[in-house]
Each structure stands twice: as structure tokens, then as C-alpha cells.
Amino acid sequence: MAPDASPPPKPPASEGAPGAPRPLPSAEEFVQVQASPQFGELRRTHRGFAFPLTVAFVLWYLAYVLLSNYADGFMDTKVVGNVNVALILGLAQFLTTFLIAWWYSHRAAARLDPKAEAIKSRMEGGA
């Protein structure tokens, strides 16, 4: 078989057969779900956590950049040996990035994923 040849077509599955693909929801069904209280609650839960945390992190990052540019004396302050404030704050940027990602992952698994799964199963006809 040539590497650029497409695989042979699969025979169509009967509509009611187990494992057969379900038809995709219509645009109207998506609009209905988007207007539902459950979707609104999912969106509020996500935004209530993600937006403030994003703003806080961007402010923290900008503070580091501004300190690096305009507070040379402060950032050059030695803490231990050749380790200065700038290095500590720079490494703290990485630490906070990983902590935020971890925190978001755990919070999403606990609060967002169950709500999203309920909406998904309703859209797929399971509920």
C-alpha cells in the first residue's frame, strides 16, 4: 500500500447499533445548552476562579518586570552569597506558574469537570 493512499472506507454502522456514532447535536441544541442555567453556572464557576487568578499573576509578572527595570538597587540586594533578590523573584515566577497550574487542575477536576460532564452527557442523549 502506498504511504499516501487513504485507508479503505469502513462500512456504515446501523443507526441503533451499540457503539454506532451518534449524530452531532444541531446548532439550535448548542444554543439551548449555552442558554441553560447549568451552562451559566459552569461559566461562572470557571470565570470566578480563572479571571482573578490571571489578573493577579499578570500583575505579579509586571511587578517583577518593572522592578527589574527601575529598581536596580533593590533587585541587586544580595540575600545569600551571589544570590540576589532578582534571582529569587525570577525563580518565584516559575514556582507560581507551576502552583497556579496545579491549583487550577485540581480545582477544575473537582468543580468544573463534573458540571461539564453532566452537560456533555445531556447533549449526547445520555441524560
Side-chain angles (χ1 to χ4, degrees), residues 55-70 93:
V55 169
F57 182 77
V58 168
L59 290 174
W60 156 231
Y61 176 75
L62 289 175
Y64 175 73
V65 170
L66 291 173
L67 285 171
S68 295
N69 283 317
Y70 300 110
Q93 290 285 318

Side-chain angles (χ1 to χ4, degrees), residues 9-50:
K10 294 182 180 179
S14 63
E15 186 112 347
R22 296 181 185 265
L24 293 176
S26 68
E28 293 82 24
E29 290 172 309
F30 278 107
V31 170
Q32 287 174 352
V33 168
Q34 187 177 8
S36 72
Q38 295 83 7
F39 188 81
E41 176 62 27
L42 175 63
R43 185 173 40 228
R44 276 189 302 282
T45 303
H46 175 262
R47 288 179 178 175
F49 182 73

Side-chain angles (χ1 to χ4, degrees), residues 69-108:
N69 283 317
Y70 300 110
D72 295 339
F74 172 70
M75 296 296 269
D76 199 33
T77 304
K78 302 284 185 199
V79 177
V80 177
N82 287 330
V83 177
N84 60 16
V85 172
L87 180 62
I88 291 173
L89 293 180
L91 293 174
Q93 290 285 318
F94 288 100
L95 178 64
T96 55
T97 300
F98 290 115
L99 286 174
I100 288 170
W102 173 82
W103 190 17
Y104 179 82
S105 173
H106 283 273
R107 187 171 173 101

